[in-house]
Amino acid sequence: MQLHNRTRHGSIRFNRRQFLKAVGVGTIGAMSGAVGPFLGRAATAAAQTQQANSGFAPDLDIHLTAAPDEVPIFPGSPTQVWRYKAEVLKGSANSLTGIPGSYLGPIIKANKGDNIRIRFTNQIPGNSIIHWHGLHVPAVMDGHPRHVIPKGESYLYEFEVKNRAGTYWYHPHPHGQTGYQVYGGLAGLFIVSDEEEKAAGLPAGEYDIPLVLQDRSFDGDNQLVYLPGGRMEFMTGFIGDQILVNGNPDFSLAVSTRSYRLRLLNGSNSRIYKLAWQDNRPLTVIGTDGGLMEKPTQRRYVYLGPGERLELWVDFSDDPVGSEPALISLAFDAGIGSNGPMRGGMMGGGGRYPQRLPNGSEFPVLRIKVRRRVEASQPLPQRLSYVGQVSPKTAVNYYSPRQFYFSMGHMRWTINGRTFQMDDVANDEIVRLGSTEVWEFYNTGGGTGMMGMMNMPHPVHMHGKQFRVLERGGVVHAGYVDEGWKDTVLLMPGEHVRILVGFDDYPGLYLYHCHNLEHEDMGMMRNYLVRA
Ligand code: C2O
Ligand code: CU
Ligand code: CU
């Protein structure tokens, strides 16, 4: 494989020295005009939560650290990364599952109703904080960037797991640095189980496989390279040359001739996957961001935007031993980032570092190796869970939904023309505790020529909530699974979506943003306030 050292061309190369340099001067933050000088505030917030609450009885108590580490990704030099590590202080040792050889953090497993205490210690050079993506937790536990802590400090999380069974995840959320820190390796799965899920009769244990999809670029010495295209690539979002599954560039899954549950997370900074089976068998989707759907649904392909999860059920009973079915990503039009002009400059035509794997190109995602003949398989359950009624008329604003426009203004990504300000909440971002609302997200898109800069997908995410999709409009694409509970919805250029979201409990300040992490870092993120 041909790998180039891009360090002399303005990119960020991940080694210890550069870690310090890049974070210290806020390379990315400087570009976005936003790096968090919020130490005073953070220290206060941290101090407030330092003391474990004696009235809180944790079922699971863990110590989680983010620290520099190195992992063997390719032959030769190990790769310098940042990595979450954890130990169980109280609770079942099975609550943490490490992924050997991976930079990914341990998979945290919990049951609905569990009380969780996590003491997070930041040992990376730079401010950080952990966000529990998809979990419904109090605002002070949500990992808002105003709660960042500097290196050497700790933040105490205590919350009850209120979510249904499902595949959630955790990652850093310091404003202006989220893309950089996630890219450096900081991410992990948070899997919730409940009784309903156990009763559903799905493949479990070794037949329940978590799969984190990410893309990365490496230099000739196996070190991570971030944003080699500089400012212009920052605008579109990082797209890597190499697909990694669970942190492994050469991942394959050995299976028996039976059914499996595959839990997919798109943990990439900005890459979108259009997933399909290479041999055209239909995808059987059983779950989305917020857990199992009511019943399975079949698709020829599905989109998976950054931050989104999808659960597949697949049966290899009819696959001969020795066969290698593959999950692939199909080609699609990803807008401005798709043909990769950004690495060569706007007018460049090719450029010095043409992307080898542009967003929207076709590539294999997961190679499966059918290894062993077994007789018994588990059939696909026809009923998976109770998802709940959707009653849009219960919304207080049913006839005048809130509208949020995701677009570009003055060469910056904005929501309703605004960019992120740490404590800023506009009038149209304040909701009442106890209410249910209809929100509409618009990807304005639709421009041509230089205005084509606006043609990018935006995966729109809400913190602290799972919502229901009511309908999509505009330039509607196929390949979405909108049936179940969602916390992130992918919007292609020109597309919009109506969602129903309840604010029954937990007042406070939460985020909503584009989950293209470079867009987010650039400020395509805002607060919303749940006011009591
Ligand atoms: Cu994965 Cu602010 O979110
Ligand atoms: Cu989130
Ligand atoms: Cu975006």
Side-chain angles (χ1 to χ4, degrees):
M1 188 180 331
Q2 200 65 36
L3 290 166
H4 303 278
N5 187 326
R6 297 163 177 152
T7 50
R8 281 173 296 126
H9 305 283
S11 63
I12 299 166
R13 181 167 177 266
F14 276 74
N15 58 41
R16 288 181 203 281
R17 200 162 38 84
Q18 289 285 343
F19 266 9
L20 289 167
K21 208 196 277 179
V23 175
V25 302
T27 307
I28 306 306
M31 283 197 282
S32 68
V35 67
F38 308 108
L39 294 187
R41 199 197 310 267
T44 316
Q48 281 165 359
T49 52
Q50 272 314 297
Q51 288 305 316
N53 175 1
S54 54
F56 184 87
D59 300 290
L60 176 64
D61 191 341
I62 67 180
H63 187 200
L64 186 65
T65 305
D69 201 354
E70 50 180 45
V71 291
I73 297 181
F74 298 103
S77 307
T79 303
Q80 308 293 322
V81 297
W82 287 326
R83 190 176 179 189
Y84 287 127
K85 283 188 180 165
E87 55 175 329
V88 175
L89 304 176
K90 175 174 183 273
S92 163
N94 301 330
S95 305
L96 297 179
T97 313
I99 304 176
S102 174
Y103 53 77
L104 288 170
I107 301 170
I108 301 175
K109 290 188 178 152
N111 292 308
K112 182 176 182 178
D114 281 357
N115 281 332
I116 312 276
R117 174 182 290 156
I118 298 170
R119 187 180 296 274
F120 165 57
T121 301
N122 178 16
Q123 294 294 5
I124 67 165
N127 293 341
S128 199
I129 191 71
I130 298 180
H131 166 58
W132 315 97
H133 181 126
L135 293 186
H136 178 52
V137 297
V140 72
M141 301 299 162
D142 188 60
H144 191 282
R146 74 193 192 284
H147 294 143
V148 292
I149 49 167
K151 183 182 178 190
E153 290 202 15
S154 296
Y155 195 94
L156 184 76
Y157 295 92
E158 289 176 334
F159 56 83
E160 180 189 337
V161 176
K162 295 211 169 185
N163 287 69
R164 359 176 25 243
T167 310
Y168 307 93
W169 65 301
Y170 60 100
H171 62 77
H173 224 297
H175 183 51
Q177 301 279 315
T178 296
Y180 184 45
Q181 292 188 6
V182 171
Y183 188 76
L186 296 176
L189 289 170
F190 193 114
I191 293 181
V192 176
S193 307
D194 64 15
E195 292 307 317
E196 181 182 50
E197 177 198 40
K198 282 173 194 147
L202 289 166
E206 61 180 303
Y207 308 115
D208 176 354
I209 315 282
L211 298 164
V212 180
L213 312 183
Q214 294 175 309
D215 57 343
R216 296 287 185 270
S217 291
F218 298 88
D219 70 10
D221 191 34
N222 298 341
Q223 302 310 309
L224 289 165
V225 178
Y226 185 53
L227 297 180
R231 171 79 199 185
M232 291 316 287
E233 192 180 17
F234 188 42
M235 298 284 291
T236 55
F238 173 87
I239 292 292
D241 297 330
Q242 183 90 43
I243 304 298
L244 293 92
V245 178
N246 293 347
N248 185 335
D250 191 29
F251 188 90
S252 66
L253 182 67
V255 300
S256 302
T257 54
R258 55 154 294 145
S259 55
Y260 283 78
R261 175 182 188 175
L262 306 180
R263 300 172 186 257
L264 298 162
L265 158 68
N266 181 352
S268 311
N269 284 34
S270 89
R271 182 181 291 280
I272 295 164
Y273 301 81
K274 184 181 181 181
L275 300 167
W277 291 110
Q278 189 165 33
D279 58 12
N280 279 322
R281 74 182 77 183
L283 289 165
T284 302
V285 183
I286 57 172
T288 53
D289 301 337
L292 296 173
M293 300 188 302
E294 191 165 295
K295 51 186 195 313
T297 178
Q298 294 206 324
R299 299 294 157 90
R300 168 137 152 65
Y301 62 83
V302 288
Y303 282 106
L304 193 64
E308 286 187 300
R309 287 86 68 209
L310 208 54
E311 297 196 23
L312 302 178
W313 183 93
V314 57
D315 190 353
F316 300 110
S317 299
D318 295 332
D319 291 271
V321 170
S323 62
E324 298 196 352
L327 190 65
I328 60 171
S329 190
L330 298 168
F332 65 97
D333 180 2
I336 189 72
S338 61
N339 54 4
M342 290 312 160
R343 290 214 181 151
M346 280 298 280
M347 316 298 165
R352 202 176 287 149
Y353 305 113
Q355 286 177 353
R356 288 188 295 140
L357 212 55
N359 203 11
S361 49
E362 181 167 324
F363 54 86
V365 173
L366 174 68
R367 286 181 302 130
I368 293 186
K369 297 189 171 170
V370 183
R371 281 278 167 73
R372 220 160 45 94
R373 180 97 237 143
V374 294
E375 289 318 318
S377 190
Q378 267 174 286
L380 176 64
Q382 283 316 302
R383 189 186 160 75
L384 299 165
S385 75
Y386 176 69
V387 162
Q389 292 301 314
V390 185
S391 315
K393 290 259 165 83
T394 61
V396 295
N397 63 345
Y398 179 72
Y399 294 103
S400 53
R402 268 173 220 271
Q403 299 181 322
F404 298 97
Y405 289 84
F406 289 70
S407 64
M408 178 167 281
H410 305 292
M411 293 302 274
R412 302 192 64 154
W413 294 108
T414 62
I415 304 173
N416 282 353
R418 308 175 182 115
T419 54
F420 182 68
Q421 307 296 330
M422 194 56 73
D423 303 294
D424 194 33
V425 189
N427 274 336
D428 58 3
E429 296 172 318
I430 300 173
V431 301
R432 203 158 255 302
L433 184 67
S435 65
T436 295
E437 295 214 352
V438 177
W439 285 20
E440 293 179 352
F441 299 127
Y442 289 82
N443 181 343
T444 50
T448 56
M450 275 306 278
M451 288 295 107
M453 279 303 293
M454 290 193 260
N455 284 325
M456 278 210 73
H458 300 296
V460 175
H461 171 52
M462 272 185 92
H463 276 220
K465 295 292 162 198
Q466 293 289 329
F467 52 76
R468 300 293 296 276
V469 172
L470 298 175
E471 64 173 317
R472 285 183 190 257
V475 189
V476 180
H477 290 66
Y480 301 116
V481 184
D482 287 334
E483 284 96 325
W485 289 97
K486 296 285 294 169
D487 57 50
T488 309
V489 276
L490 182 60
L491 294 180
M492 292 295 186
E495 203 165 32
H496 59 259
V497 69
R498 280 163 73 89
I499 64 162
L500 187 69
V501 53
F503 303 95
D504 317 332
D505 54 5
Y506 294 153
L509 202 63
Y510 291 90
L511 300 165
Y512 66 105
H513 60 84
C514 176
H515 216 288
N516 174 322
L517 296 183
E518 284 72 37
H519 291 186
E520 171 185 339
D521 279 340
M522 192 175 278
M524 198 178 224
M525 173 161 82
R526 291 287 300 174
N527 291 308
Y528 72 90
L529 176 67
V530 184
R531 182 179 274 167

